[in-house]
Amino acid sequence: MAGLGLMVLGGCGVVPVVLLTMKGAQATETVDRILGMVLSLPALAIALSGWARRGVEARADQVSQARESLAGWVLDQWRPEELARSLGDPQPMPVQWRLTEHAVMDRSRFIMAGELSFTGRSDQIGPLVEQFRGLPHRRLVILGGPGSGKTTLAVQLLLELLATLRPGDPIPVLLSLASWDPTEWPRLHSWLAERLATDYPSLRAFGPGIARALAEQGHILPILDGLDELPLARQPEVITALNASLTEADQLVLTSRTREYGTAVAKARKVLTAAVVIESEPLSSAQAAEYLQACLPLDPDPSWVEVLDRIRDGTAEHLARVVATPLGLWLLRTAYITPCAGPCPLLTSEIARDAATMQGHLFDQLIPAVLTARPASHNPHGPFRPRRSWDSAKVRSWLTYLAWHLDRTKTRDLLWWHLARHTFTRRTLGLVVGLVAGLVAGLGVGWGVRLEVGLAAGLAAGLGTGVGAGLVAGLRRHDWLTDEPAYANLHLNHRTGMLVRDLGVGLGTGLLAGSGVGLTGGLVTGLLAGSGVGLTGGVVVGVGFGAVAGLVIGLLFDWGIGLVTGLVRGLVVGLGVTLGIGLKDALGVGLKTGLMVGLGGGLVIGLAKWMGTPSRMGWASTPRSTYKATRALTVIQICVAGLVGGLLGGLVGGLLGGLRGGPMSGLGIGLGAGIGMKIGLGVGLGVGLGVGLVIGLGQISSGAWLSYTLTSCRLAAAGKLPLRLMDFLDDAHRLGLLRTTGPTYQFRHAEFHDHLIRTSSSRTETDAQAQLEP
């Protein structure tokens, strides 16, 4: 190939010499240009192939870096959850695990060579992890009854696997199965990539498709929790989809209740291939009493001696049945030991008549007990203390409403942005959002024109225009109820502030330069200079060269679109005012106006996209972090749109005001009379602010926060939930009533969720709460 290339190159060098001799200089010059183009193509191909190879190398490096970062994020995510769930305080519960005796496991020869054995205890997690690593396929199914510690064991496995991670081991990631619908994602890896991108949004900062690469290339060990919490029809579909998705190298951990897993396997007519299936054993009375005694304070109530003795000797039969499960042990500890309450009621005939009544009593005591034991505190060193004081009866009422909400939507996962889907219809929500935005925009327009037509008339005209425009903007958006939150990690205090500041400086410089090079030239120069200063000064420090390049490309692309759109609209504006000031001047006005509006609009869209881009500095998303990120991004995008709209409106007002009689006697936007530069700027700022806010409504990355805010206000007005719902959910998690998995809240125990529904005052009363739902 090298020789052929040299021959071609030599031939191309000979051709011009021959032509110069035979045809003259003019023909030689033409052929030289053609040959130059031909020779440039291989050079371009070589450059592109080298860039592609660097891209492949960078991709492998990016996957490696993303994998390393993901391990840290998962560990940072689940360490606090381990503490919140008291998994090791004072020690893990001694739950025994053994191979299941049910016919739900693959043949032993497909699982491992030789005799199959798998036993262990939750308080000795190291040996269990080593047995898991010793399995050729590393596939494990964890079964048990309600409250038997299945999820707890899954969390313990995850933490131990991360703490002892070996080179080449996949990163364990615990995910709730509730969001997997095999009809939408037939392959496990496709759904897994989607969940990784959602639960760990900072992965996107390593490049597009990183989450998919991690899932497809075997870098993830999915720990799938709660097969039994799926709709019954979907459970066998998941078993079938798992068998169809798993390759020989794919590892897996799955949890489920025993009965539901057996039913799903029977309906699927296939067990989970090459997976070990283990099941929990009930705690013995001696083990339960020993654990409870370890939890008692140094100076316990004397009646605890009798209670523990009766658990050991079996005379408190129903209490012993309750504490034979990790759930019962946790309930007894939380309801009586932690708040230092006397246990005498546990031995009364009314409460101790059967195990179900005993467990129901413990659930009833749960909310008052945690509120008593953990009073509100703003101390940052007390992460498991609520930040506000709550009334016990209201907490129960609100949690009961949420339980019914989840029951009606057939899921265990509480996603804050899904509340609107079951409270409003799309059209109703669009009307409400548009009405609110229109009112705000109308006030801005009214304030802007008040000096010309009076405050009352200005407000009337502004509100009429703004409300109409807002309603149109609200109804045109079709995804109010389906918007996902903005999974962004915003460093607004540094990079955004620096960028906006420097852009402002550049714009001001351009205005000053307008006296020498013309207003349009000055503005363009200033914007470009400000962008350069902002990008190098305000962004390089925070995000590095790669992010700068991405931002530059994004802004240039959006500016280009804005420029073309602005020029087209400018021509239309110019033709529209031809009758007043003549075609030449009108086209000049239109083009200048369109240029500024187009560039400004492109700037707004580009900045909005950039601000929503995750950073590698973030970690795993939580319900509160996604809420804060979505709120911040929504407010900033709308405010930026309003600010840029007001600024450009003011400039346009001043520009139009200076066309006929000089800068001090110009025209207002659309007024057609000399009102002066000051009034022109005021009108422009007000109108631009209002219009910018309405336009910003359509440019926000996600409508989830606006939808949630209106929904929470409506539910709070009806007394169904507190107005500050996210604060309440956060405190409920701190109190141990809820748990989190990524951006999702769940009840700490599914049995607590079911108890709240079962013991609500009446189905009729609870169904009345659903009247708010569409």
Side-chain angles (χ1 to χ4, degrees):
M1 292 296 294
L4 179 61
L6 289 175
M7 292 176 59
V8 173
L9 185 62
C12 291
V14 172
V15 170
V17 177
V18 175
L19 287 175
L20 180 63
T21 305
M22 300 178 59
K23 298 291 185 180
Q26 185 174 1
T28 303
E29 182 180 359
T30 302
V31 173
D32 280 344
R33 292 178 179 175
I34 297 174
L35 289 176
M37 294 177 62
V38 172
L39 289 175
S40 68
L41 293 178
L44 178 61
I46 293 172
L48 289 176
S49 65
W51 175 80
R53 285 194 299 271
R54 287 195 301 272
V56 172
E57 295 170 358
R59 180 54 178 258
D61 183 59
Q62 288 171 344
V63 171
S64 177
Q65 293 177 7
R67 184 183 180 281
E68 182 178 351
S69 297
L70 179 62
W73 296 335
V74 175
L75 189 61
D76 290 342
Q77 175 188 10
W78 285 102
R79 279 298 184 198
E81 277 295 305
E82 178 190 25
L83 297 176
R85 302 183 190 197
S86 303
L87 299 188
D89 180 20
Q91 60 191 21
M93 296 181 186
V95 182
Q96 182 76 32
W97 300 91
R98 56 170 174 75
L99 289 173
T100 183
E101 297 176 354
H102 299 85
V104 292
M105 186 167 60
D106 207 355
R107 296 176 179 86
S108 62
R109 68 175 183 272
F110 297 140
I111 299 175
M112 64 183 302
E115 184 179 356
L116 178 61
S117 175
F118 200 106
T119 60
R121 287 175 34 155
S122 295
D123 58 343
Q124 299 172 4
I125 194 64
L128 266 177
V129 167
E130 290 308 311
Q131 290 183 74
F132 174 74
R133 283 193 168 122
L135 297 173
H137 297 281
R138 293 189 185 179
R139 296 178 190 171
L140 177 67
V141 179
I142 303 172
L143 300 182
S148 59
K150 302 178 294 296
T151 301
T152 297
L153 179 61
V155 174
Q156 290 178 292
L157 288 173
L158 177 142
L159 292 173
E160 183 66 17
L161 285 167
L162 284 173
T164 59
L165 196 65
R166 300 170 182 176
D169 279 354
I171 307 302
V173 178
L174 196 152
L175 302 168
S176 169
L177 268 173
S179 64
W180 187 17
D181 184 355
T183 59
E184 184 176 358
W185 290 287
R187 295 184 66 250
L188 169 67
H189 304 86
S190 301
W191 173 75
L192 182 58
E194 182 75 15
R195 285 300 307 269
L196 287 174
T198 298
D199 291 4
Y200 304 94
S202 292
L203 285 174
R204 304 177 192 178
F206 290 94
I210 286 295
R212 180 169 296 279
L214 289 172
E216 297 283 354
Q217 296 174 17
H219 294 290
I220 304 298
L221 165 57
I223 301 178
L224 308 180
D225 185 35
L227 176 71
D228 55 282
E229 296 175 0
L230 293 171
L232 292 177
R234 194 183 300 174
Q235 294 173 18
E237 295 176 357
V238 166
I239 299 293
T240 302
L242 285 174
N243 282 324
S245 302
L246 295 175
T247 66
E248 186 175 359
D250 284 325
Q251 305 176 22
L252 178 72
V253 176
L254 176 69
T255 74
S256 176
R257 291 184 181 179
T258 304
R259 184 177 63 181
E260 284 79 355
Y261 185 75
T263 303
V265 165
K267 291 183 177 179
R269 307 175 75 87
K270 186 75 168 66
V271 299
L272 191 60
T273 304
V276 169
V277 182
I278 61 174
E279 194 171 359
S280 63
E281 293 183 348
L283 291 165
S284 68
S285 297
Q287 288 176 322
E290 181 181 355
Y291 178 83
L292 291 172
Q293 188 162 12
C295 297
L296 288 174
L298 294 178
D299 186 21
D301 188 296
S303 57
W304 277 109
V305 175
E306 179 186 1
V307 170
L308 295 181
D309 286 342
R310 293 186 63 176
I311 290 176
R312 289 189 183 98
D313 61 27
T315 55
E317 177 185 0
H318 301 306
L319 180 57
R321 286 183 57 191
V322 169
V323 297
T325 65
L327 171 61
L329 276 180
W330 176 77
L331 281 174
L332 183 56
R333 174 185 177 183
T334 306
Y336 279 92
I337 295 179
T338 303
C340 299
C344 291
L346 298 173
L347 303 178
T348 61
S349 58
E350 181 180 354
I351 294 175
R353 66 175 180 263
D354 57 57
T357 303
M358 176 75 68
Q359 182 166 292
H361 166 75
L362 293 175
F363 275 130
D364 289 336
Q365 298 302 309
L366 180 60
I367 294 174
V370 296
L371 290 174
T372 301
R374 301 184 186 182
S377 171
H378 293 284
N379 184 356
H381 299 293
F384 307 118
R385 298 270 294 277
R387 296 296 179 247
R388 295 150 203 87
S389 298
W390 303 98
D391 177 74
S392 176
K394 290 183 177 179
V395 169
R396 183 176 181 120
S397 173
W398 295 333
L399 289 177
T400 300
Y401 178 83
L402 291 174
W404 274 110
H405 163 76
L406 295 177
D407 188 66
R408 283 188 292 266
T409 56
K410 302 184 185 306
T411 182
R412 298 283 190 179
D413 289 352
L414 176 60
L415 303 170
W416 59 265
W417 62 93
H418 281 189
L419 280 174
R421 302 183 183 184
H422 308 284
T423 306
F424 289 102
T425 62
R426 182 192 63 79
R427 187 171 299 277
T428 301
L429 187 58
L431 284 171
V432 175
V433 174
L435 180 62
V436 173
L439 289 173
V440 176
L443 291 175
V445 174
W447 175 84
V449 301
R450 73 190 191 287
L451 295 178
E452 176 61 20
V453 299
L455 181 60
L459 288 177
L463 288 174
T465 305
V467 170
L471 290 176
V472 171
L475 289 175
R476 286 186 61 187
R477 188 179 182 114
H478 296 287
D479 51 3
W480 288 116
L481 296 178
T482 58
D483 266 354
E484 295 293 312
Y487 298 100
N489 300 280
L490 306 176
H491 298 283
L492 301 174
N493 291 336
H494 178 72
R495 68 185 189 185
T496 306
M498 294 284 287
L499 179 63
V500 172
R501 183 202 68 183
D502 293 325
L503 284 174
V505 172
L507 185 59
T509 303
L511 290 174
L512 293 177
S515 57
V517 297
L519 182 59
T520 302
L523 282 174
V524 173
T525 302
L527 283 172
L528 293 176
S531 300
V533 174
L535 294 179
T536 56
V539 182
V540 170
V541 176
V543 295
F545 179 78
V548 173
L551 176 57
V552 170
I553 294 173
L555 285 179
L556 289 177
F557 178 76
D558 291 318
W559 262 343
I561 295 177
L563 176 62
V564 174
T565 305
L567 289 176
V568 173
R569 293 179 178 177
L571 290 173
V572 175
V573 171
L575 293 174
V577 298
T578 298
L579 296 178
I581 59 176
L583 178 60
K584 181 179 179 180
D585 290 339
L587 289 177
V589 172
L591 290 175
K592 290 180 180 180
T593 303
L595 182 65
M596 288 190 294
V597 173
L599 288 176
L603 175 63
V604 171
I605 296 173
L607 285 176
K609 291 179 180 178
W610 175 67
M611 286 187 289
T613 302
S615 162
R616 298 187 188 187
M617 301 299 293
W619 58 291
S621 61
T622 64
R624 196 161 185 83
S625 70
T626 56
Y627 169 79
K628 287 184 175 180
T630 307
R631 178 184 63 185
L633 191 60
T634 301
V635 172
I636 289 171
Q637 287 176 337
I638 292 179
C639 289
V640 167
L643 180 63
V644 172
L647 178 62
L648 292 177
L651 293 175
V652 171
L655 176 65
L656 292 179
L659 290 176
R660 294 292 297 272
M664 300 304 295
S665 61
L667 299 172
I669 298 178
L671 298 179
I675 60 175
M677 176 68 81
K678 180 178 179 180
I679 298 179
L681 286 173
V683 172
L685 285 170
V687 174
L689 178 63
V691 173
L693 287 173
V694 174
I695 293 176
L697 185 66
Q699 295 296 334
I700 57 176
S701 300
S702 170
W705 178 75
L706 287 175
S707 304
Y708 159 82
T709 301
L710 294 172
T711 300
S712 61
C713 289
R714 183 181 182 186
L715 294 174
K720 309 307 177 188
L721 291 173
L723 182 61
R724 303 188 67 173
L725 177 58
M726 287 303 300
D727 292 338
F728 168 69
L729 295 175
D730 182 55
D731 279 351
H733 174 245
R734 293 173 182 272
L735 290 167
L737 301 173
L738 301 177
R739 67 187 184 191
T740 63
T741 301
T744 303
Y745 280 117
Q746 297 174 332
F747 279 89
R748 168 73 178 266
H749 289 283
E751 292 72 24
F752 182 43
H753 168 276
D754 298 337
H755 174 79
L756 290 174
I757 296 176
R758 188 170 53 250
T759 58
S760 58
S761 57
S762 70
R763 179 65 182 259
T764 303
E765 176 184 336
T766 310
D767 282 347
Q769 297 177 338
Q771 292 178 0
L772 291 174
E773 301 190 1

